């Protein structure tokens, strides 16, 4: 009797050991279906295989199902829950795994004893738990991706000024989110590997009363469109303790001007990198268009963009939205923000080039068209548009206020012994190409880049990344007479613009 009791006790201890091992596999961080199936094979001193309802192997070693194929079919169909099969030197257990539907097949060279049978039964229960958890996790990830894609779609609609469609899309999941006339845009920057967590924190900080989007163009950026004034302080609270998180915000704009607000937020973000608190809001400064006569600027803009106005409304809006973003960012970045291919962006901008008779590889042309597009956008959203008056570009650029502003801005560069002004002027004339500018100046291309980078804090504008800041500096060079005026409508520099005087 004593010997029998010792045997039972040893079996109980051994049983407790395999139960602990199976439980350890279910702990967070160790829950792998493949690990469990592999452990099962070792625990019963045999082989194990998990199939889904289509017969695909999910884990383990595949077995020749020929002799017991009918049993497999009956289990998958739900007609039976389990089965046993025996052949020469082969003993099988086939058990239905309920979630998702599948079959666990275990093979041994010796018959299944009580211990092996219990291990199989408990392992099936463990696999069902793991598979349900995996299925729930996958469904959760799909929902998160779908929600994220929907937020991006709303942002893209706002970027092309389709506020009606944007409100419709948002109304289903976030009622009231875009029930506003105006909003601000913020861009939060972090390391790419931290962005997903930061996006979730932005949602929490704004109480999900903001449109939070992982920027499709910049892996470091999270874009936040919010109508709430309190959002700024909520977002600022996220950046304080983090060394590599920055915040840039726009002025308040109508929803139709989301693209403009986004450009302002990106510009402010560059300034935030130099601020102790790592945050900045776009500063209202003296922009060149405010130094030009409104009626003359209106008249010049209408004439320059006239060929676009003769297009069908949908095509006109599409080309304008694409060109505005294409002038602010690279074709690749603009394509990602708009949700189209970069070839589509380039094709649309080439069409605009042809209609305006200009070349966007020329930075002066880009700056002048950017001025016209911004002016048109302001006029579209202004209730007091001045009556247009005839004017040409030269007259707009050489007005007293404009020339004074340009000379004051560029004079800041004269204090540097490296002649930053000459380098910057040559770099702009070379289309922003450091190599070509270096050849003209007889220096190394890196020297050109260093000079342009050194000019940025002096002028308080981003230059190397392009966009609105650079175009203001280009206009200053045009107003100061340091650069020739660009070709527009196919008219060469220095020739009278027949379209203006027609």
């Amino acid at each position: 009797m004593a010997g029998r009791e010792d045997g039972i006790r040893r079996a109980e201890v051994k049983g407790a050991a395999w139960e602990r091992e199976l439980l350890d596999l279910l702990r967070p961080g160790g829950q792998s279906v493949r690990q469990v199936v592999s452990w099962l094979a070792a625990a019963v001193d045999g082989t194990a295989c998990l199939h889904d309802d289509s017969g695909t192997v999910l884990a383990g070693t595949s077995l020749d199902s020929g002799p017991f194929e009918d049993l497999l079919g009956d289990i998958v169909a739900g007609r039976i829950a389990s089965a046993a099969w025996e052949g020469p030197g082969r003993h099988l257990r086939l058990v239905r795994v309920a979630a998702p539907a599948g079959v666990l097949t275990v093979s041994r060279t010796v018959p299944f004893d009580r211990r092996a049978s219990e291990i199989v039964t408990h392992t099936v229960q463990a696999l069902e738990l793991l598979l349900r958890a995996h299925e729930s996790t996958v469904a959760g990830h799909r929902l998160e991706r779908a929600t994220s894609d929907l937020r991006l779609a709303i942002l893209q609609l706002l970027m092309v000024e389709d506020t009606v469609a944007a409100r419709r899309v948002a109304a289903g999941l976030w009622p009231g989110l875009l029930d506003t006339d105006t909003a601000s845009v913020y861009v939060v920057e972090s390391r790419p590997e931290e962005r997903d967590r930061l996006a979730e924190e932005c949602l929490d900080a704004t109480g999900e009363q903001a449109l939070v989007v992982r920027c499709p163009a910049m892996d470091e950026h999270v874009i936040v469109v919010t109508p709430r004034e309190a959002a700024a302080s909520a977002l600022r609270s996220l950046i304080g303790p983090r060394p590599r998180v920055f915040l840039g915000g726009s002025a308040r704009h109508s929803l139709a001007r989301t693209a403009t607000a986004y450009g302002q937020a990106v510009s402010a973000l560059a300034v935030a990198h130099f601020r102790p608190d790592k945050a900045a809001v776009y500063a209202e400064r003296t922009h060149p268009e405010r130094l030009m006569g409104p009626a003359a600027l209106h008249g010049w803009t209408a004439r320059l963009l006239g060929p676009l106005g003769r297009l069908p409304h949908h095509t006109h809006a599409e080309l304008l939205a694409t060109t505005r973003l294409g002038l602010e960012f690279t074709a690749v970045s603009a394509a990602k923000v708009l949700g189209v291919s970069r070839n589509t962006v380039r094709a649309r901008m080439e069409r605009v080039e042809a209609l305006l008779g200009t070349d966007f590889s020329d930075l002066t042309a880009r700056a002048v068209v950017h001025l016209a597009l911004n002016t048109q956008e302001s006029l579209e959203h202004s209730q007091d548009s001045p009556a247009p008056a005839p004017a040409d570009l030269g007259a707009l650029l050489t007005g007293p206020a404009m020339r004074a502003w340009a000379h004051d801005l560029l004079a800041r560069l004269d204090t540097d012994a490296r002649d930053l002004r000459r380098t910057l002027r040559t770099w702009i004339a070379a289309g922003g190409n450091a190599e070509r500018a270096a050849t003209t100046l007889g220096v190394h291309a890196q020297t050109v880049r260093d000079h342009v980078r050194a000019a940025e804090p002096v002028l308080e504008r981003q230059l190397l990344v392009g966009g609105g800041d650079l175009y203001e500096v280009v206009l200053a060079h045009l107003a100061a007479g340091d650069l020739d005026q660009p070709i527009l409508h196919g008219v060469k520099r220095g020739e009278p613009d027949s379209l203006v005087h027609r």
Side-chain angles (χ1 to χ4, degrees), residues 285-302:
R285 62 193 182 212
T286 302
H287 296 289
E289 61 266 26
R290 297 181 181 176
L291 303 174
M292 303 175 185
L297 180 60
H298 184 187
W300 170 79
T301 297

Side-chain angles (χ1 to χ4, degrees), residues 253-459:
H253 290 280
S254 67
L255 284 181
R257 300 191 68 187
T258 299
T260 298
Y262 172 58
Q264 290 185 355
V266 172
S267 180
L269 183 65
V271 176
H273 280 257
F274 303 100
R275 294 279 182 86
D277 60 354
K278 299 175 294 178
V281 175
Y282 186 76
E284 282 296 329
R285 62 193 182 212
T286 302
H287 296 289
E289 61 266 26
R290 297 181 181 176
L291 303 174
M292 303 175 185
L297 180 60
H298 184 187
W300 170 79
T301 297
R303 288 182 173 84
L304 177 63
L305 301 181
L308 288 170
R310 292 190 283 273
L311 297 172
H313 175 74
H314 174 74
T315 303
H316 174 258
E318 189 175 72
L319 291 180
L320 282 183
T322 302
T323 305
R324 282 177 181 139
L325 283 175
L327 291 177
E328 288 285 352
F329 309 102
T330 65
V332 174
S333 296
K336 289 178 179 178
V337 172
L338 290 170
V340 298
S341 73
R342 60 185 176 182
N343 288 336
T344 298
V345 170
R346 290 186 178 121
R348 290 176 184 173
M349 293 190 69
E350 285 171 2
R351 186 174 180 186
V352 173
E353 283 180 301
L355 288 167
L356 302 185
T358 193
D359 179 5
F360 284 156
S361 65
D362 181 348
L363 277 180
T364 60
R366 292 175 73 91
V368 167
V369 174
H370 183 266
L371 170 66
L373 291 174
N374 280 353
T375 301
Q376 184 191 55
E377 187 180 39
S378 298
L379 290 170
E380 287 173 352
H381 298 94
S382 173
Q383 296 179 347
D384 304 316
S385 299
D392 61 20
L393 179 61
L396 290 172
L397 293 174
T398 55
M402 186 69 183
R403 289 181 68 87
W405 167 81
H407 285 296
D408 179 66
L409 178 66
L410 298 179
R412 301 180 194 176
L413 300 171
D414 295 337
T415 58
D416 196 298
R418 291 172 291 180
D419 202 352
L420 298 183
R421 185 165 178 172
R422 175 172 174 257
T423 302
L424 184 56
R425 179 176 65 248
T426 306
W427 177 75
I428 292 172
N433 186 293
E435 285 73 18
R436 288 205 301 269
T439 300
T440 301
L441 293 169
V443 298
H444 194 277
Q446 188 56 45
T447 301
V448 174
R449 295 187 190 97
D450 290 343
H451 284 195
V452 175
R453 191 174 288 111
E456 289 184 324
V458 177
L459 299 175

